[in-house]
Amino acid sequence: MRLRTAVGAVLLTLTACTTGPSLENRGEVTAPPGDSKHLTIGSAGFTESDLLAQMYAQLLNQAGYRTSLITVANRELYEPALESGQIDVVPEYAATFADWLNAKTNGPDAPPVGSPDLTTTMKALRRLATPRGLTVLDPGRAVDQNAFAVTAAYARQHHLRTLSDLGASGLKVRLAAGDECVQRPYCEPGLKKVYGIDITGIDPKGVGTTQAKRAVQSGQDQMVLTTTTDATLDQFGLVLLADDRHLQNADYVVPVVNRARAGSERVTKALGKLNDVLTTADLASMNQQVDSWRRLAQDVARTYLRDKGLLK
C-alpha cells in the first residue's frame, strides 16, 4: 500500500476534463462491473475517513489488490474523481451523500431524499448513484450522526436521558454549535419543531470542538452539537441525550465504488467483512486513539482488523 498523497490541485485539473457517464446516457449504465488490479482509495481528510480508508485498503490488499491512498478533503473534487475512475473507492455516509448527489442532480433547492429510515435512504442513494457509474455497497452497523450532549451533572439534576426529556423540561438552552445550526433542519429548527426544546441562542464554537465542549462544561452553554462517534465526551464530563424521535438522518457508513473499476464481487466481499463487526462505538474508540493518543490511523486500523480476525 502506498503512502497517502495530497492531490487536490491535480484532481481539480483532471476532473475538469474527465467525467462519468454523459448526461444523455445516465440511467442506461450497462457496462459490466470491473475488477482492476490496482485500486485507489479516497479519504476526505478527517480522522474517521482516514481510518475507514485505511481499513478498506488493508482488506483489499489481503484480497490480492494493490492499493494507493489519496486524500481529497473536498467532496466537490473527490466525487467527480470517483465517477471518472481516478478514485475507485471512498467511505461515505448514506443520507449525507444521498442529499449531496440529489442536489448535484436536481439542483440545490431539490427536496432532501435522505431520511432517518435507512432503507428509504439507501434506495434514494442507489437511484442517484447508479446513473453516474457508482455502486453503493451495503451499509453495516456503524453510523456517524449529529448528536447532542449535556453535562452528566445537568442530566442528573433535571432527569434527562433523551432529547424529549429536555423538551418536556421547559429548560432554556443555549447551544454550542456551528453557526449554520441556525438554519439546518436537523439542528436548531429540528430541535424546536420535533422536540419543543427552548433554544435561546447558538454559541458559534463549531461542531464538537474542544472550545464548544468547554463552554458546556463551564456552564456558559447548556448543550453542545457533536457526533455519535465522539469519544472525548467523558473528558469533559458530558453525556449524549438520545435522539428518541429520530430527528437525525440515517448516516450509516457505506463504501461507494466506481463500478467500471471496482464493481466486482471480490471487492464487495472484501469490504463487506467490516459490516459484521464495525460498530459506532468501534469508530469512536479508533477516533480517540488517533486524536487523543496520537496513534497513526494506519496502525489503529491494522490493529482493529487483526483483533477482529479480519486480517492475518
Side-chain angles (χ1 to χ4, degrees), residues 150-288:
V150 299
T151 65
Y154 185 84
R156 285 194 303 270
Q157 179 184 356
H158 299 290
H159 310 290
L160 307 176
R161 291 188 303 171
T162 68
L163 290 171
S164 288
D165 292 340
L166 182 56
S169 73
L171 292 165
K172 295 185 181 300
V173 175
R174 180 173 162 87
L175 176 63
D179 52 13
E180 70 278 4
C181 179
V182 175
Q183 297 179 328
R184 294 285 173 88
Y186 311 115
C187 201
E188 180 182 352
L191 291 173
K192 290 180 174 179
K193 181 178 179 180
V194 174
Y195 288 107
I197 297 173
D198 186 2
I199 305 292
T200 61
I202 300 298
D203 187 2
K205 286 184 164 61
V207 179
T209 63
T210 296
Q211 185 183 20
K213 292 171 191 170
R214 284 179 176 163
V216 177
Q217 183 183 38
S218 70
Q220 177 183 340
D221 300 327
Q222 287 70 52
M223 189 162 69
V224 60
L225 168 63
T226 182
T227 67
T228 52
T229 58
D230 188 336
T232 66
L233 296 178
D234 285 347
Q235 298 174 25
F236 299 90
L238 303 178
V239 294
L240 293 179
L241 296 181
D243 179 21
D244 53 310
R245 296 183 185 173
H246 307 292
L247 170 64
Q248 302 305 321
N249 278 344
D251 262 329
Y252 285 75
V253 174
V254 289
V256 182
V257 305
N258 177 289
R259 174 182 168 86
R261 289 183 50 81
S264 71
E265 182 62 30
R266 192 157 63 113
V267 169
T268 299
K269 184 178 180 180
L271 298 181
K273 291 180 178 180
L274 269 182
N275 288 357
D276 294 332
V277 299
L278 185 65
T279 66
T280 303
D282 291 340
L283 275 180
S285 175
M286 286 189 280
N287 286 338
Q288 182 181 40

Side-chain angles (χ1 to χ4, degrees), residues 46-217:
F46 57 93
T47 297
E48 189 168 291
S49 188
D50 286 347
L51 284 162
L52 289 164
Q54 287 284 354
M55 286 190 283
Y56 290 179
Q58 292 175 30
L59 288 171
L60 288 168
N61 286 341
Q62 182 168 258
Y65 295 93
R66 290 186 301 115
T67 62
S68 299
L69 270 71
I70 193 170
T71 297
V72 187
N74 189 323
R75 189 179 274 117
E76 282 75 11
L77 288 177
Y78 75 67
E79 189 279 331
L82 183 63
E83 288 188 33
S84 70
Q86 295 166 271
I87 295 176
D88 303 306
V89 185
V90 296
E92 264 292 357
Y93 300 91
T96 295
F97 196 45
D99 284 338
W100 192 88
L101 286 179
N102 186 44
K104 181 176 180 178
T105 302
N106 299 313
D109 297 325
V113 295
S115 81
D117 182 78
L118 178 59
T119 299
T120 301
T121 297
M122 287 297 296
K123 285 181 180 178
L125 174 55
R126 284 171 166 154
R127 183 176 64 248
L128 290 159
T130 299
R132 296 182 175 276
L134 306 179
T135 297
V136 182
L137 305 186
D138 289 340
R141 293 181 287 164
V143 58
D144 189 351
Q145 296 169 302
N146 287 340
F148 297 90
V150 299
T151 65
Y154 185 84
R156 285 194 303 270
Q157 179 184 356
H158 299 290
H159 310 290
L160 307 176
R161 291 188 303 171
T162 68
L163 290 171
S164 288
D165 292 340
L166 182 56
S169 73
L171 292 165
K172 295 185 181 300
V173 175
R174 180 173 162 87
L175 176 63
D179 52 13
E180 70 278 4
C181 179
V182 175
Q183 297 179 328
R184 294 285 173 88
Y186 311 115
C187 201
E188 180 182 352
L191 291 173
K192 290 180 174 179
K193 181 178 179 180
V194 174
Y195 288 107
I197 297 173
D198 186 2
I199 305 292
T200 61
I202 300 298
D203 187 2
K205 286 184 164 61
V207 179
T209 63
T210 296
Q211 185 183 20
K213 292 171 191 170
R214 284 179 176 163
V216 177
Q217 183 183 38

